[in-house]
């Protein structure tokens, strides 16, 4: 028994990933769209072909009915009620188009050939045979006597005009039309006295119809292919948000795993050291607290970045004093700083931004400068400038920006010293979310300079 129907076939690498399932759904949507369009187009094409086929047959039948009706008016009857074709023969060219006059042969006239007498039987009957009253001497179209008789019998049997598609002896298509006629002053239930049968060439109409069939078939094929392409494009747009969400989810998981791996390992090492009793418990607790605080900041940064990327973090824009936000962030940083010096030169500046997001961006820029903007063992010296045009500049006296990280500085897990982190990438996201910019360059003193520009009320 086969198990695991949701898994791939033998030789595959395992179950489908969420991205692969979304792509498979896209293919199915595209196929369903193409099939639906194909069914609709084929149905419309079939209706168009059938309508054209019926149209050209009706046109031929209408034309032949007019001719046979006019010829029928030239039939006369003798004193016995038998139709005579003398006037018809003198007036109409019965050879082209070929016109054959058929009479119903009664039992009294059985055995005669070419001269039937008219009869007015009481009711329609299929017992009488048809005989040829007049046939074209040199017809321009020949479909054989059997074809003419078949058409006449069908018209007499039905009591109304009939049209048929047949072929000549040479295989050319013709349209056969039979019109029954009745005795003069016949009652409603009187059987037909005979039938007029005529033929017309249908090759031109058949060629036109075949060209239409090929044109419609080719057009349907092109439209189906175009529909498949459009369906594939539309399905791609439909599943794009799902693919984006999956990509953001995978990126978030990768970020979390990447950035939490080191502090988690450090916590485990501290726990093992404390269990062995190799280190003073106070120092272990102090280091554990610092690691826990750092992990809390990392988790907070990851969640903020995830909300920014997914668009779930609403940007609550409002007038905001940027200089006051900077002073508050600097006070919090100085309280936790270890000998670092931060100098602020701020003008009264109002920007239109989200207070929480701006606070986080400023804190990340300042934290990056304090962490990487100084030589090992030397306190950091950071200068922050705020101007009225909504520009925040953070400069440090560190080694500056390495060339190898300058092009990817605001990507996640990159910082001024090349170590991992999310601070600068979050600050960049905050700037772009407000319609601002965040740029990096070299400070006058040789360190790094970050310039954050936010929109002002003006």
């Amino acid at each position: 028994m086969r198990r695991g129907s949701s898994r791939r076939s033998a030789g595959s690498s395992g179950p489908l990933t969420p991205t692969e399932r979304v792509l498979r759904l896209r293919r199915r949507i595209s196929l369903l769209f193409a099939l639906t369009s194909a069914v609709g187009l084929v149905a419309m094409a079939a209706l168009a072909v059938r309508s054209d086929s019926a149209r050209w047959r009706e046109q031929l039948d209408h034309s032949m009915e007019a001719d046979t009706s006019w010829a029928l008016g030239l039939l006369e009857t003798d004193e016995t009620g038998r139709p005579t074709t003398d006037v018809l023969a003198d007036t109409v060219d019965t050879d082209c188009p070929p016109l054959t006059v058929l009479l119903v042969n009664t039992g009294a006239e059985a055995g005669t050939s070419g001269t039937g007498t008219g009869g007015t039987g009481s009711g329609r009957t299929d017992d009488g045979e048809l005989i040829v009253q007049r046939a074209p001497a040199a017809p321009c179209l020949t479909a054989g006597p059997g074809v003419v008789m078949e058409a006449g019998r069908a018209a007499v049997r039905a009591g109304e005009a009939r049209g048929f598609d047949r072929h000549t002896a040479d295989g050319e298509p013709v349209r056969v039309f039979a019109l029954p006629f009745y005795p003069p002053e016949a009652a409603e239930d009187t059987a037909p006295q005979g039938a007029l049968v005529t033929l017309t060439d249908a090759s031109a109409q058949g060629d036109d119809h075949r060209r239409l069939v090929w044109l419609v078939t080719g057009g349907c094929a092109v439209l189906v292919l175009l529909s498949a392409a459009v369906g594939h494009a539309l399905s791609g747009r439909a599943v794009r948000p799902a693919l984006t969400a999956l990509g953001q989810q995978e990126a978030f998981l990768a970020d979390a795993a990447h950035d939490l791996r080191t502090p988690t390992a450090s916590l485990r090492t501290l726990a093992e050291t404390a269990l062995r009793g190799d280190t003073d418990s106070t120092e272990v607790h102090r280091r554990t607290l610092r690691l826990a605080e750092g992990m809390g900041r990392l988790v907070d940064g990851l969640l903020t970045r995830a909300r920014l990327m997914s668009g779930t973090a609403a940007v609550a824009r409002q007038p905001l004093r940027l200089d006051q936000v900077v002073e508050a962030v600097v006070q919090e940083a100085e309280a936790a700083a270890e000998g670092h010096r931060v100098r602020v030169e701020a003008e009264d500046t109002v920007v239109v931004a989200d207070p929480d997001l701006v606070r986080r961006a400023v804190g990340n820029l300042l934290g990056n400068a304090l962490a990487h903007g100084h030589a090992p063992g030397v306190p950091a010296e950071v200068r922050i400038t705020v101007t009225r045009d909504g520009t925040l500049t953070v400069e440090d006296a560190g080694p500056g920006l390495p060339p190898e990280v300058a092009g990817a500085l605001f990507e996640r897990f990159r910082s001024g010293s090349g170590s991992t982190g999310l601070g600068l990438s979050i600050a960049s996201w905050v700037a772009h979310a407000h319609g601002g910019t965040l740029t990096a360059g070299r400070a006058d003193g040789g360190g790094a300079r970050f310039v954050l520009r936010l929109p002002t009320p003006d």
Side-chain angles (χ1 to χ4, degrees):
M1 179 182 296
R2 298 179 60 185
R3 298 183 179 179
S5 58
S6 61
R7 296 182 176 271
R8 302 185 193 181
S9 59
S12 59
S13 58
L16 294 176
T17 64
T19 301
E20 290 173 337
R21 287 198 293 268
V22 172
L23 293 177
R24 184 174 64 178
L25 176 62
R26 180 190 181 185
R27 290 191 294 269
R28 291 182 176 178
I29 293 175
S30 302
L31 180 61
L32 180 60
F33 189 87
L35 288 177
T36 303
S37 302
V39 170
L41 289 173
V42 169
M44 293 179 62
L47 180 61
V49 170
R50 184 175 180 180
S51 299
D52 181 75
S53 177
R55 179 189 58 79
W56 70 262
R57 287 177 171 84
E58 289 176 357
Q59 289 178 349
L60 289 181
D61 290 347
H62 181 74
S63 176
M64 290 188 292
E65 183 177 12
D67 293 341
T68 53
S69 296
W70 181 69
L72 182 60
L74 299 177
L75 284 179
E76 296 183 349
T77 57
D78 56 15
E79 55 277 358
T80 64
R82 178 175 177 269
T84 61
T85 60
D86 297 336
V87 177
L88 175 64
D90 295 337
T91 308
V92 179
D93 181 12
T94 60
D95 291 341
C96 196
L99 179 64
T100 304
V101 181
L102 302 178
L103 292 179
V104 176
N105 187 22
T106 61
E109 296 172 333
T112 62
S113 62
T115 58
T117 59
T120 58
S122 59
R124 299 178 182 181
T125 176
D126 296 336
D127 296 336
E129 291 293 333
L130 290 178
I131 60 175
V132 178
Q133 170 99 13
R134 180 176 181 80
C140 57
L141 291 174
T142 57
V147 173
V148 175
M149 287 295 181
E150 178 188 3
R153 293 191 190 98
V156 170
R157 188 178 300 111
E160 59 184 6
R162 283 287 188 265
F164 306 90
D165 290 325
R166 294 296 183 264
H167 291 83
T168 64
D170 299 332
E172 296 297 328
V174 293
R175 184 70 176 172
V176 183
F177 184 81
L179 178 68
F181 60 87
Y182 297 84
E185 300 179 359
E188 293 184 0
D189 59 346
T190 302
Q193 193 176 18
L196 296 180
V197 181
T198 185
L199 287 76
T200 188
D201 186 12
S203 57
Q205 289 79 3
D207 293 340
D208 292 341
H209 180 69
R210 282 189 293 271
R211 281 193 294 269
L212 176 65
V213 171
W214 282 109
L215 181 62
V216 170
T217 302
C220 285
V222 172
L223 290 177
V224 168
L225 293 178
L226 181 61
S227 175
V230 172
H232 188 69
L234 292 178
S235 62
R237 293 180 63 89
V239 303
R240 188 178 302 168
L243 292 175
T244 302
L246 289 174
Q248 293 173 352
Q249 180 184 8
E250 293 176 359
F252 175 78
L253 295 176
D255 294 349
H258 186 282
D259 222 25
L260 294 177
R261 186 180 296 111
T262 299
T264 302
S266 300
L267 281 177
R268 180 174 181 177
T269 302
L270 285 176
E272 293 175 350
T273 302
L275 289 176
R276 290 195 303 265
D278 297 339
T279 308
D280 182 29
S281 60
T282 302
E283 179 63 21
V284 172
H285 292 162
R286 186 180 297 110
R287 293 173 61 185
T288 302
L289 179 60
R290 287 198 299 268
L291 284 173
E293 292 175 349
M295 291 181 65
R297 289 192 296 271
L298 286 174
V299 172
D300 194 17
L302 287 169
L303 294 177
T304 300
R305 178 184 174 276
R307 287 194 294 267
L308 288 172
M309 290 186 63
S310 63
T312 57
V315 180
R317 293 180 175 85
Q318 62 186 46
L320 173 68
R321 286 285 299 273
L322 181 59
D323 56 306
Q324 295 178 355
V325 173
V326 170
E327 291 174 355
V329 172
V330 170
Q331 290 179 0
E332 294 176 359
E334 288 180 340
E338 299 177 354
H340 300 308
R341 292 185 295 274
V342 181
R343 184 160 55 97
V344 179
E345 298 176 2
E347 299 177 348
D348 295 343
T349 304
V350 179
V351 295
V352 180
D354 187 306
D356 295 333
L357 294 180
V358 172
R359 180 185 293 272
R360 181 171 297 280
V362 174
N364 289 347
L365 292 176
L366 178 57
N368 179 78
L370 293 176
H372 309 294
H374 61 92
V378 179
E381 294 185 3
V382 180
R383 178 187 175 189
I384 300 180
T385 305
V386 181
T387 57
R388 295 183 184 276
D389 60 353
T391 301
L392 168 68
T393 304
V394 180
E395 298 177 315
D396 59 54
L401 299 175
E404 63 272 11
V405 302
L409 190 62
F410 299 121
E411 297 179 1
R412 69 184 194 274
F413 301 137
R414 301 305 297 267
S415 66
S417 63
S419 62
T420 62
L422 295 170
L424 293 181
S425 66
I426 292 177
S428 178
W429 273 96
V430 172
H432 290 292
H434 290 86
T437 59
L438 176 62
T439 58
R442 188 175 182 84
D444 296 337
R449 173 189 292 164
F450 293 90
V451 181
L452 174 65
R453 293 182 175 86
L454 296 174
T456 62
D458 297 334

